[in-house]
Amino acid sequence: MFIDINDIRINYTGEGEENLPVLLLLHGWGCHGEVYRSIINRLNSRFRVIVPDLPGFGKSAEPPDFWNVSDYAGFIAEFCRILNINPAVIFAHSLGARIAIKMLSSPDYAINPQKVIFTGAAGIKPKKTFSQKVKITAYKTGKFFLKPFPKQLIKLQSKSGSADYRAASLVMRGCLVKIVNEDLTPLLPLINNDVLLIWGENDDSTPLSDGRLMEKAMPNAGLAVIQNAGHYAFSDQPEIFGKILDSYLY
């Protein structure tokens, strides 16, 4: 289904009976709603599962400018207002958790779910190693001197940054830079909702140490660790992940 929100064409999925409590699913960077099909199918008999493709992902249009986490949070608040939904549960993965952290830590967004599930949650800014600092300095220096030479500058940019950065459009690169450079750690103690953290022990995108930090920082959080699973624990170990969900939600 499509809906226009602030002149941005948005694709979203809504499955489950309309009289059921709403579960809002917020996907990760580089993903879209259908990546979470196993979760949707597992939960849509007991919840009205609403899954928007965030601006710039899936079938949704890109944002008009370089958005930060607050911009995405404001978008989700407006999405809920227009659809007239009040989520009883939020399920958030990676980037989706950044957005949820921003929303849950402030009354300005008027969202207060009974239960929250974070998996492979992003939001804690890692400390840069010496090697990373050297690479960043070299890139910035090269970028400065190559400004008069657009072709060489594009070539440098195409070889720099993460795989997510290299795969993104110009607008989404700008969004990614803003998003990953915001440390949401100070907001975690402000979240009083009941939060279940589900983490793959081998997550190399958002390490398990982030999950342990989040568990300690949020007053009402608990952590479940899944062995032999990575950043997409719900795909790596679907049965175990599903059983943890069932135990928490039902």
Side-chain angles (χ1 to χ4, degrees):
M1 295 179 283
F2 287 90
I3 187 172
D4 289 329
I5 298 179
N6 296 335
D7 297 322
I8 304 174
R9 190 71 165 165
I10 297 299
N11 178 60
Y12 75 98
T13 298
E15 297 190 13
E17 297 295 329
E18 292 192 3
N19 62 334
L20 292 173
V22 171
L23 183 147
L24 177 65
L25 192 156
L26 302 176
H27 66 71
W29 184 275
C31 297
H32 53 82
E34 281 304 305
V35 171
Y36 304 83
R37 174 48 55 187
S38 62
I39 302 297
I40 297 169
N41 290 346
R42 190 174 197 102
L43 300 178
N44 63 12
S45 63
R46 300 199 186 188
F47 293 94
R48 174 68 173 164
V49 183
I50 305 292
V51 192
D53 284 350
L54 296 169
F57 302 98
K59 297 179 181 179
S60 292
E62 291 185 348
D65 202 351
F66 299 164
W67 276 16
N68 58 24
V69 182
S70 294
D71 294 320
Y72 274 100
F75 160 79
I76 289 297
E78 184 67 2
F79 176 82
C80 291
R81 187 190 69 80
I82 290 177
L83 266 63
N84 194 28
I85 59 173
N86 183 22
V89 179
I90 287 181
F91 179 105
H93 174 228
S94 198
L95 166 63
R98 289 183 189 269
I99 298 167
I101 289 169
K102 182 73 73 165
M103 299 183 76
L104 295 170
S105 62
S106 172
D108 294 344
Y109 296 100
I111 189 166
N112 190 30
Q114 298 167 15
K115 294 187 176 182
V116 177
I117 300 128
F118 286 168
T119 183
I124 296 174
K125 187 177 179 180
K127 293 182 178 179
K128 290 183 174 62
T129 64
F130 177 76
S131 176
Q132 288 173 325
K133 290 178 180 178
V134 170
K135 288 180 180 179
I136 291 170
T137 300
Y139 170 72
K140 288 181 177 179
T141 302
K143 186 178 177 182
F144 175 79
F145 285 108
L146 289 175
K147 280 183 179 180
F149 310 100
K151 289 184 179 180
Q152 288 82 353
L153 180 57
I154 291 172
K155 188 175 181 180
L156 173 67
Q157 291 173 329
S158 68
K159 293 181 178 180
S160 303
S162 66
D164 283 337
Y165 181 85
R166 295 193 300 272
S169 69
L170 178 62
V171 169
M172 296 312 293
R173 284 182 180 183
C175 294
L176 181 60
V177 170
K178 282 191 171 185
I179 288 168
V180 300
N181 281 303
E182 182 174 1
D183 186 8
L184 303 180
T185 305
L187 301 182
L188 296 174
L190 304 177
I191 298 175
N192 292 308
N193 304 78
D194 193 273
V195 181
L196 171 64
L197 302 160
I198 308 178
W199 233 271
E201 67 168 350
N202 302 322
D203 191 331
D204 56 5
S205 295
T206 52
L208 179 56
S209 57
D210 286 4
R212 299 198 190 284
L213 192 156
M214 288 188 178
E215 180 186 29
K216 183 178 293 186
M218 289 185 286
N220 300 304
L223 174 66
V225 181
I226 301 180
Q227 295 182 345
N228 301 314
H231 192 53
Y232 294 82
F234 52 88
S235 294
D236 296 336
Q237 296 289 351
E239 285 306 311
I240 296 174
F241 194 99
K243 288 179 180 178
I244 293 172
L245 275 185
D246 292 347
S247 176
Y248 178 63
L249 293 174
Y250 309 138

